Amino acid sequence: MRGAAELAGWRAVDVGTVRALGSPDGRAILRSLPAYDEREVMRLQDRLRREGHSPDFVAALLTQQRLRARAVTKFGEFAHDMLYTADGLEQASRLEVAATHAGRFYNASLATVHDLGCGIGSDAVAMSALGVTVHGVEVDPVTAAVADINLRPWPDSRARVGLAEEFEPPRDPLRARVGVWLDPARRVPGHTGRHGRIKRVFRLDEIRPTWEFVLQVATAVPATGAKLSPSMPHDAIPLGTEAQWTSFAGEVLECAVWWGPLAQQPGRSARILGPDRSPIEVDQTMAEPDPPTTASLATVGPWLYEPDRAVTQAGLLGAVTAATLGSEVDRGLGYVVSEAEVDVPFARRYAVREVMPFSERSLRAWLRQHGITGLTIKKRGVRLDDDELRRQLRIGRKAGGGAQATVILTRVAGEQAVLVVDPA
């Protein structure tokens, strides 16, 4: 059974309610609410009703309380200063990524940015905080109202209802120091998946506004950036632009394409972000254009490197082979083996304990011989069901009471192989 706050999220919220939430009184009530606790929702709902607030306004307050609790993972200490919609929060750039976007426009000395498809305004807020005036456009009236309220600390920045396609470029964008930021919709309104979330699209020809429109804007306004799917095809990257894949804590979040003065290093690049660490950037100048591959199982070195997924998505495995003087286990798989033990900030290093051709019988015998009772399975380039393999190996997942092991099931020089490794 859903709690009251979850049910409230299903109620239609109108622009008037959003404005009430963003009013001084609404903000004061939101600040007065305790930390979100599902067990206390009904009691809090009753209290707010007794204080004279309407059912719809109470539902909106509880929804914001719940969404703000979720938003902490994206916006940290700033989460409680913003308003949200459920879909808008899911789609918004997290704080560290929005700061990266904003930094591009700020460093290009732009005075104004048109944010076409601004959502709840996370990128617009980051730009405004750096002194860039933002004109946000969002097709959904409620989301546009939320973005406009989130931009209130910066009076020159506003968000309004409108279509991205209605944007009219200035006659001289360079002289006017004008840029454009586009976040084309990668979800299909009205279509939900198994878990009730709006269905995502991954093909470039399914985004809205269209890829053709994005290219038209970039032609008219040289300082243009666009947030796209991590599955962005390499052969679709326009000549002279920079396509940067960004990850946070190992998850690839986006590929952003940058034109004109916003492109720092034309070509493909990766930016790796994480909690309590400085950003790491990798680009094509650091990578071998044609990374070597391993000749055979017998030539696998004592160290294996697993690149950050942003590096893999950007096609920059050659940066790992160059840094380690190593080779890829097999073409297109992303694992690198090497004789050298080096610290690579954009790849995780493992010590290789054992290398063997893959067979369930030989792997089971090795695990039994070494007293392994808990197993972590990583695989790439092979099709196997993890649970079925565990049953055949007669072993469970990581568990206490015995030795642990990590095995990588992959291909080496075209042959299915097992690499038993230890994280370094």
Side-chain angles (χ1 to χ4, degrees):
M1 182 175 178
R2 296 188 179 99
E6 190 172 355
L7 286 171
W10 290 92
R11 295 193 182 189
V13 176
D14 58 23
V15 172
T17 303
V18 171
R19 289 174 179 162
L21 290 169
S23 69
D25 287 345
R27 287 181 175 275
I29 296 170
L30 283 169
R31 285 194 298 269
S32 73
L33 296 181
Y36 177 74
D37 184 343
E38 183 67 34
R39 297 167 299 181
E40 297 296 321
V41 166
M42 299 301 293
R43 188 177 304 171
L44 180 58
Q45 176 182 252
D46 292 341
R47 191 199 87 190
L48 291 169
R49 291 287 300 277
R50 288 196 303 271
E51 291 174 359
H53 302 295
S54 71
D56 285 345
F57 188 61
V58 170
L61 288 168
L62 295 176
T63 296
Q64 288 302 311
Q65 183 201 34
R66 175 171 54 89
L67 293 176
R68 284 183 169 189
R70 290 184 187 176
V72 170
T73 59
K74 274 196 172 183
F75 302 114
E77 61 184 284
F78 302 101
H80 298 289
D81 297 325
M82 297 174 65
L83 295 182
Y84 305 95
T85 67
D87 289 337
L89 175 58
E90 183 179 345
Q91 298 167 35
S93 300
R94 62 179 303 124
L95 178 64
E96 298 86 349
V97 180
T100 295
H101 301 156
R104 295 257 185 172
F105 291 100
Y106 174 79
N107 292 333
S109 299
L110 298 177
T112 304
V113 172
H114 294 268
D115 188 347
L116 308 183
C118 64
I120 62 171
S122 58
D123 286 306
V125 164
M127 294 181 215
S128 299
L130 292 180
V132 179
T133 296
V134 180
H135 300 315
V137 173
E138 172 58 46
V139 67
D140 176 63
V142 170
T143 306
V146 167
D148 196 52
I149 288 172
N150 288 337
L151 286 168
R152 280 188 180 177
W154 303 275
D156 292 337
S157 293
R158 298 299 302 270
R160 63 176 178 83
V161 180
L163 293 173
E165 292 86 347
E166 295 173 346
F167 170 68
E168 295 185 5
R171 291 184 179 181
D172 191 348
L174 289 177
R175 183 180 295 275
R177 296 164 57 206
V178 170
V180 173
W181 174 241
L182 297 108
D183 185 359
R186 289 182 274 133
R187 290 164 172 80
V188 183
H191 293 76
T192 57
R194 290 185 305 170
H195 303 293
R197 294 182 176 179
I198 296 179
K199 182 182 176 181
R200 296 189 180 195
V201 298
F202 297 96
R203 291 172 47 181
L204 200 57
D205 60 0
E206 294 179 319
I207 64 174
R208 293 292 181 273
T210 66
W211 180 235
E212 288 74 19
F213 175 77
V214 173
L215 296 176
Q216 290 171 12
V217 171
T219 299
V221 183
T224 291
K227 177 181 174 180
L228 301 163
S229 166
S231 60
M232 175 74 177
H234 291 181
D235 59 5
I237 300 170
L239 188 65
T241 64
E242 178 182 0
Q244 184 169 84
W245 280 258
T246 299
S247 67
F248 185 88
E251 179 186 2
V252 185
L253 302 176
E254 68 176 33
C255 172
V257 178
W258 304 99
W259 283 261
L262 302 177
Q264 299 170 348
Q265 182 67 51
R268 288 173 278 109
S269 66
R271 184 173 175 87
I272 300 160
L273 304 172
D276 304 320
R277 65 181 292 181
S278 298
I280 299 166
E281 294 205 1
V282 184
D283 61 54
Q284 285 184 257
T285 66
M286 303 164 62
E288 296 179 287
D290 187 21
T293 56
T294 304
S296 67
L297 282 176
T299 60
V300 171
W303 301 99
L304 179 139
Y305 296 84
E306 182 180 23
D308 183 272
R309 291 187 178 274
V311 174
T312 304
Q313 289 280 87
L316 297 174
L317 184 76
V320 183
T321 58
T324 63
L325 302 179
S327 58
E328 190 176 10
V329 292
D330 206 11
R331 187 68 67 193
L333 295 188
Y335 288 124
V336 171
V337 289
S338 174
E339 296 287 338
E341 179 186 4
V342 295
D343 291 328
V344 181
F346 46 88
R348 187 177 186 185
R349 185 175 72 246
Y350 295 85
V352 179
R353 293 174 58 185
E354 187 74 35
V355 182
M356 67 186 88
F358 173 69
S359 80
E360 294 154 6
R361 179 176 298 179
S362 60
L363 178 56
R364 183 169 60 244
W366 190 93
L367 296 172
R368 185 174 299 168
Q369 177 185 351
H370 291 81
I372 303 299
T373 61
L375 193 63
T376 297
I377 298 174
K378 300 169 72 72
K379 60 185 180 182
R380 195 173 295 175
V382 296
R383 292 185 178 180
L384 289 170
D385 181 88
D386 287 10
D387 292 332
E388 178 62 24
L389 178 61
R390 289 178 188 281
R391 284 193 292 270
Q392 293 171 344
L393 295 176
R394 300 168 192 167
I395 199 166
R397 299 180 184 274
K398 273 193 171 183
Q404 312 295 314
T406 298
V407 298
I408 295 176
L409 308 178
T410 188
R411 295 194 314 270
V412 177
E415 179 182 358
Q416 286 196 347
V418 178
L419 285 72
V420 184
V421 300
D422 289 328

